[in-house]
Amino acid sequence: NAGVTQTPKFQVLKTGQSMTLQCAQDMNHNSMYWYRQDPGMGLRLIYYSASEGTTDKGEVPNGYNVSRLNKREFSLRLESAAPSQTSVYFCASSGASGGAETQYFGPGTRLLVL
Amino acid sequence: GESVGLHLPTLSVQEGDNSIINCAYSNSASDYFIWYKQESGKGPQFIIDIRSNMDKRQGQRVTVLLNKTVKHLSLQIAATQPGDSAVYFCAEDQMTTDSWGKLQFGAGTQVVVTP
């Protein structure tokens, strides 16, 4: 049982390049989330998916798109990367599909945009 | 907007002592609170949670206290060990339709355990 996995672990992009961050969970959770974490700050929600087939914006969605590919996988896409998107990105999942539930996090993807 | 914050950014604790990490929240509508531990280079790891209908919950070496009157949350770690060195985050969930699944995180407290 791997929990939440993320790929890649590290990535360097040039301004304007695009990339997709992958996330998968094997806990049969309904809900999945993408967060970003900047130095000295807590996590901020980018997008979430309450259940397969649904996605919604979080606190900081601008510059990102998401796809809930199936129940296991939730990807985050940067269409045109900007230096302000340099951050550590975490994917999380929880069992709830409409209510508070503990979220379990992946190991993160460290992104540097030059 | 409403936010979750921490009183102390860094806490230095001697090995074997008890640690207390504090968290203030401003939204009285919050119903669910979680403490996470984040070690360097890793994702946040669930420690313990508490719902607003409780004022205390205990786990293995950890206790979370909730004081709804003053909107304060604390995490107590008993007999702190070197492996407890990490950043600790509190998070709240307002459990409303508009805020569903949107945990609000504090900035974190760095706990440093000294020998």
Side-chain angles (χ1 to χ4, degrees), chain A residues 91-109:
Chain A
C91 178
S93 70
S94 72
S97 185
E101 181 104 0
T102 303
Q103 295 181 18
Y104 295 91
F105 287 81
T109 294

Side-chain angles (χ1 to χ4, degrees), chain A:
Chain A
N1 189 340
V4 179
T5 58
Q6 293 182 236
T7 56
K9 293 185 178 179
F10 303 96
Q11 184 71 48
V12 179
L13 292 178
K14 294 180 180 179
T15 298
Q17 287 185 316
S18 63
M19 78 162 295
T20 300
L21 283 65
Q22 306 288 352
C23 174
Q25 52 92 8
D26 62 2
M27 296 177 282
N28 201 35
H29 282 168
N30 290 316
S31 307
M32 298 184 74
Y33 313 82
W34 276 105
Y35 292 88
R36 62 177 288 173
Q37 184 177 36
D38 299 303
M41 298 182 66
L43 289 89
R44 292 184 292 168
L45 183 65
I46 304 171
Y47 270 94
Y48 67 99
S49 171
S51 60
E52 186 177 354
T54 68
T55 61
D56 282 288
K57 295 178 180 179
E59 182 185 354
V60 288
N62 292 343
Y64 306 95
N65 285 300
V66 291
S67 295
R68 184 73 183 268
L69 304 171
N70 48 54
K71 190 171 186 179
R72 290 188 64 249
E73 299 172 290
F74 188 38
S75 63
L76 178 72
R77 182 161 179 83
L78 287 70
E79 290 292 350
S80 179
S84 61
Q85 294 178 303
T86 292
S87 190
V88 182
Y89 292 86
F90 290 100
C91 178
S93 70
S94 72
S97 185
E101 181 104 0
T102 303
Q103 295 181 18
Y104 295 91
F105 287 81
T109 294
R110 284 146 186 82
L111 177 65
L112 173 63
V113 183
L114 301 174

Side-chain angles (χ1 to χ4, degrees), chain B residues 35-61:
Chain B
W35 280 101
Y36 286 94
K37 171 187 180 183
Q38 186 176 25
E39 296 174 279
S40 181
K42 297 184 179 180
Q45 176 186 2
F46 170 82
I47 302 174
I48 193 168
D49 59 1
I50 188 168
R51 297 189 185 269
S52 60
N53 61 352
M54 303 173 68
D55 53 19
K56 180 179 180 179
R57 192 170 187 208
Q58 288 184 294
Q60 187 175 14
R61 281 201 308 119

